[in-house]
Amino acid sequence: MSIESTSNHALLDRDRLSRLLERELERFRAEHPRSRELHERALRSLFGGVPMLWMMRWAGGFPVYGASASGARITDVDGHTYVDLCLGDTGAMPGHGPAPVREAVAKQLERGITTMLPTENAAWAGEELGRRFGLERWTFTLTATDANRHALRIAREVTGRPYVLVFSYCYHGSVDEAFAVATPDGGTRSRDGNVGPAVDPAQTTKAIEFNDIDALERALAPGDVACVLAEPAMTNMGIILPEPGYHEALRELTRKHGTLLIIDETHTFSAGIGGCTREWGLEPDMLTIGKAIGSGVPCGALGLTAELAERALASPGADYEDTGGVGGTLAGNPLSLAAVRATLEHVLTEEAFARVIPLATRFREGVQDVIERHSLPWNVTQLGCRAEYAFEPEPARNGTTAHNATDPELERYLHLHALNRGVLLTPFHNMALMSPETTADDVDTHTRVFEEAVAELF
């Protein structure tokens, strides 16, 4: 069927979409009785019926319960095995349980889990992260959220400034300052759905649109912004790539106005062994990362330039050792650092990225071919071994545009259709991630399933 309209919302037959979605829901419920039984049990003891609240978001009305995961496959309690293109929302980007990590973790379990003492693996990991990302000093956390929180505290301590600048509809974990969006008149407000903010984010944050250099200049000019916290490419509303020259302007203007630049590579690590920072030659003052560097074993890391680390430690009133709000009892524990070393040394290597990035290209080209054959006003974007499709003719240039283009019902149908046919996508949007264990056949399975879903809808 050829589609003339350029508006996705106008071309959809919503009644047909609703019928197809209900059909998929009925199939899901029929084929997942054990998951449904466990969820009904969990509703009696778990907040929201799940161990972590975003698990309520899965498309079937209740989550699939996992039984095992290996490589690029997950098997659920009902015996279904899935091609996993979600990969723990990046936490399992190295694949589920890669052998070198399993071996390193097993050995470390025998030697101790947490000791409040450093290990040789910590020094190795700091050296390797420095080699990959270019920052000389590193400290470890249990999540990228913690790394971001620590980075904001350090930035405020060193600069003596109150504000953080973020981009509308960004995501940096559960950092309070990041749940802010720009208003049409150039102000800042709390993002819709923000749960119990400690203060109005306008008191802590300036939010602007990504790729808007003029707005960046205006926000930094008063000299009250301690830092810009930025993903090098936005990933929370689909993949939003920087326009040519934007990062050069971002670095020039932050330096001009005495503002520190923090780059969050947690999701954009998909670009290569040193993320976008290495691939694009970025020069942040601090860098945060988590999830994938430990193959899903809880860990995060914060990198600082040597000059900034010296300034931070020289601050006379800052208590970095105890009650200053930077650190955590389990941070940098031996088990986490054993997983980080094994992941970086043996799994997410140059050779691995050389194999997985072409798989994402294959995914992008397969989806693009379906879009073109059905004349759909959709697009697909790639960032290294990550790719994602969106329901607009052109890729979004900022978070607000991408947010306004979302279609929850359509997403749910596409995700559930794929899930019922053995393909698992990230539940929040249409992201697919490739691991070293992903195969070309896995990618082609998604393309075939995606084609079937689109053909039925249009």
Side-chain angles (χ1 to χ4, degrees):
M1 176 179 179
S2 178
I3 306 297
E4 299 296 332
S5 171
T6 59
S7 169
N8 179 66
H9 300 281
L11 66 88
L12 273 174
D13 181 338
R14 308 304 302 198
D15 290 337
R16 181 174 180 79
L17 174 58
S18 295
R19 290 194 300 273
L20 289 171
L21 178 56
E22 184 55 39
R23 182 197 68 187
E24 296 301 324
L25 284 166
E26 289 177 2
R27 174 173 172 174
F28 178 80
R29 288 189 289 262
E31 294 181 356
H32 296 83
R34 181 60 176 152
S35 283
R36 187 173 188 174
E37 176 187 348
L38 287 172
H39 183 59
E40 290 172 353
R41 172 185 170 186
L43 285 168
R44 297 192 291 270
S45 63
L46 301 181
F47 183 26
V50 287
M52 197 266 279
L53 288 173
W54 73 250
M55 295 178 187
M56 293 191 293
R57 186 72 175 267
W58 288 101
F62 56 89
V64 167
Y65 272 65
S68 63
S70 179
R73 295 287 188 279
I74 288 179
T75 299
D76 69 19
V77 293
D78 288 291
H80 307 292
T81 297
Y82 305 91
V83 173
D84 185 10
L85 298 176
C86 172
L87 294 171
D89 193 28
T90 303
M93 191 172 88
H96 294 288
V101 179
R102 294 200 312 271
E103 293 166 8
V105 167
K107 290 178 181 178
Q108 187 58 52
L109 283 170
E110 296 176 356
R111 296 193 293 263
I113 297 171
T114 186
T115 59
M116 282 286 282
L117 296 171
T119 61
E120 180 183 349
N121 286 337
W124 186 96
E127 292 163 357
E128 177 64 9
L129 289 167
R131 182 185 74 83
R132 290 186 179 216
F133 293 100
L135 293 96
E136 299 93 344
R137 302 288 183 267
W138 291 83
T139 189
F140 295 97
T141 63
L142 285 181
T143 66
T145 292
D146 287 342
N148 282 323
R149 288 193 181 113
H150 298 349
L152 298 191
R153 283 183 174 271
I154 292 168
R156 287 185 169 124
E157 177 67 28
V158 168
T159 65
R161 297 176 175 184
Y163 285 103
V164 172
L165 187 146
V166 300
F167 299 106
S168 290
Y169 296 101
C170 65
Y171 183 71
H172 300 285
S174 55
V175 173
D176 287 340
E177 292 89 340
F179 287 92
V181 294
T183 61
D185 62 358
T188 297
R189 66 169 177 85
S190 182
R191 182 173 168 177
D192 292 343
N194 189 4
V195 177
V199 298
D200 181 349
Q203 297 180 34
T204 63
T205 306
K206 295 184 181 184
I208 65 170
E209 298 294 352
F210 194 59
N211 280 319
D212 189 335
I213 295 174
D214 291 339
L216 178 64
E217 174 78 79
R218 289 192 299 270
L220 297 182
D224 54 2
V225 176
C227 60
V228 173
L229 176 60
E231 287 188 295
M234 295 185 71
T235 63
N236 190 49
M237 284 292 159
I239 299 170
I240 303 173
L241 298 175
E243 294 179 347
Y246 186 71
H247 272 291
E248 290 79 0
L250 175 60
R251 182 68 280 195
E252 179 184 348
L253 289 171
T254 48
R255 284 176 172 152
K256 174 183 174 182
H257 293 289
T259 299
L260 298 175
L261 176 60
I262 306 167
I263 292 293
D264 183 345
E265 288 272 17
T266 303
H267 286 153
T268 55
F269 188 26
S270 63
I273 66 161
C276 294
T277 296
R278 182 181 179 118
E279 292 298 314
W280 299 345
L282 308 183
E283 298 178 353
D285 299 295
M286 288 186 272
L287 184 143
T288 58
I289 194 167
K291 295 188 183 180
I293 61 170
S295 295
V297 175
C299 61
L302 166 61
L304 307 85
T305 64
E307 184 271 338
L308 179 59
E310 290 177 7
R311 289 172 61 192
L313 292 176
S315 181
D319 182 358
Y320 288 103
E321 297 88 356
D322 189 10
T323 59
V326 176
T329 305
L330 298 180
N333 68 76
L335 190 69
S336 291
L337 270 299
V340 170
R341 178 169 183 172
T343 300
L344 297 181
E345 188 172 15
H346 300 296
V347 186
L348 292 181
T349 61
E350 297 251 20
E351 295 77 14
F353 277 101
R355 199 180 75 78
V356 296
I357 290 174
L359 288 173
T361 301
R362 187 185 187 100
F363 179 97
R364 173 177 55 80
E365 291 174 345
V367 169
Q368 185 65 45
D369 181 61
V370 173
I371 290 171
E372 291 176 356
R373 282 190 285 109
H374 289 269
S375 302
L376 294 175
W378 299 355
N379 72 86
V380 57
T381 306
Q382 179 181 353
L383 181 65
C385 62
R386 181 188 303 272
E388 188 156 358
Y389 54 88
F391 309 129
E392 284 291 293
E394 300 294 332
R397 70 184 299 268
N398 61 54
T400 297
T401 301
H403 176 264
N404 292 339
T406 58
D407 189 326
E409 186 181 26
L410 177 56
E411 282 190 7
R412 189 181 188 191
Y413 162 68
L414 292 171
H415 288 207
L416 191 56
H417 183 281
L419 189 68
N420 282 338
R421 290 152 184 83
V423 178
L424 191 70
L425 293 165
T426 305
F428 293 105
H429 33 81
N430 308 306
M431 187 274 288
L433 187 62
M434 311 298 141
S435 81
E437 298 294 328
T438 305
T439 68
D441 285 344
D442 294 338
V443 174
D444 293 345
T445 294
H446 170 270
T447 301
R448 174 180 54 76
V449 168
F450 180 68
E451 162 70 34
E452 292 172 1
V454 168
E456 284 199 294
L457 189 58
F458 297 106

